Amino acid sequence: MTLLRDRDLAHAFDHASGTYDRLTGLNPGYRTDLLRSARRLRLPAEGAGLHLLDLGCGTGASTRALLRAAPRARITAVDASAGMLRRALAKPWPDGVRFLHLSAEELPTAGEGPFDAVFAAYLFRNVSDPDGVLATVRFLLRPGGRLAVHEYSLGGSPAHRALWTAVCQGVIIPVGTLTGDRALYRHLWHSVLDFDTASGFTGRLTRAGFTGARALPLAGWQTGITHTFVARNGSAAAGEATR
């Protein structure tokens, strides 16, 4: 199957936005795992004085996780899907959170940043040029700034591929078909199979110039399927000197 990309993918998310929260709510641990990944940024003082970017915020579940992990931070959340952003904006948020309709590729020319940390959940499988987006993230991050990527990235075992396919064919695609979004959830299935393994994405982060890149597992049925990737834009000491 040809994966959905760019405008076609944004339109598919627009169409699915009305049922997206209900479908993700069927995934045991979905929000708990997002919070675990956001906390793995290890932001000091509940984020006081920091400006954070939620890159690919969707309907705001990742933004909520980031806010819970750093309630005193200022958060800018962006997404390429207008439909998903409308769902996010319909929810209550404190004054320190704002949402922008931008793709990752548009951020460098939008006058945003720099940021002390970037959180990106379920994003990198869906971009046409992941290396280009990583370069954008490095451009937007302060020296020493922190990155956490929460992503479906298989551990490399045939068992992980088999489990993912079974879950997609048995649950995700049938439910998505009922909502009229079969193409999006077939894209989800294949995008995970085609994406980097956990070790492969860790290597991609290192090649992009990030330091200390690590893949951390998540618990439950998603062990070996979903990982948190953490890294820094240069050394920790450089980042601490900017705050």
Side-chain angles (χ1 to χ4, degrees), residues 113-131:
F115 297 97
D116 297 287
V118 174
F119 186 45
Y122 304 118
L123 172 78
F124 279 94
R125 289 175 298 102
N126 290 323
V127 297
S128 299
D129 180 11
D131 292 325

Side-chain angles (χ1 to χ4, degrees), residues 58-242:
T59 62
S62 56
T63 315
R64 187 72 64 191
L66 193 54
L67 181 62
R68 288 183 63 190
R72 300 174 65 190
R74 183 162 52 102
I75 299 173
T76 296
V78 304
D79 202 275
S81 165
M84 300 290 270
L85 276 178
R86 280 194 296 270
R87 295 289 169 175
L89 286 165
K91 300 171 184 177
W93 301 98
D95 292 340
V97 179
R98 65 179 182 136
F99 291 87
L100 298 174
H101 183 205
L102 291 169
S103 68
E105 294 83 356
E106 292 170 326
L107 271 167
T109 58
E112 296 298 321
F115 297 97
D116 297 287
V118 174
F119 186 45
Y122 304 118
L123 172 78
F124 279 94
R125 289 175 298 102
N126 290 323
V127 297
S128 299
D129 180 11
D131 292 325
V133 174
L134 285 173
T136 294
V137 170
R138 283 203 69 205
F139 174 78
L140 293 169
L141 268 174
R142 295 184 188 277
R146 307 175 191 209
L147 170 66
V149 175
H150 178 97
E151 187 58 272
Y152 291 120
S153 179
L154 301 179
S157 164
H160 298 150
R161 294 179 66 88
L163 176 58
W164 174 247
T165 292
V167 169
C168 287
Q169 292 184 343
V171 179
I172 295 174
I173 294 171
V175 174
T177 299
L178 292 175
T179 65
D181 298 302
R182 179 179 175 83
L184 177 61
Y185 293 104
R186 281 183 57 81
H187 162 87
L188 170 62
W189 172 31
H190 286 282
S191 69
V192 175
L193 296 178
D194 288 356
F195 189 57
D196 296 340
T197 62
S199 62
F201 190 69
T202 304
R204 188 187 292 271
L205 287 168
T206 300
R207 291 191 299 274
F210 290 93
T211 60
R214 293 183 296 151
L216 305 175
L218 291 159
W221 77 268
Q222 293 190 104
T223 301
I225 293 176
T226 310
H227 291 81
T228 314
F229 299 88
V230 293
R232 283 188 182 260
N233 184 23
S235 69
E240 289 163 2
T242 66

Side-chain angles (χ1 to χ4, degrees), residues 13 16-25 30 59 84 122 184-185:
F13 275 115
S17 60
T19 58
Y20 192 80
D21 284 343
R22 276 180 284 166
L23 265 62
T24 57
Y30 180 85
T59 62
M84 300 290 270
Y122 304 118
L184 177 61
Y185 293 104

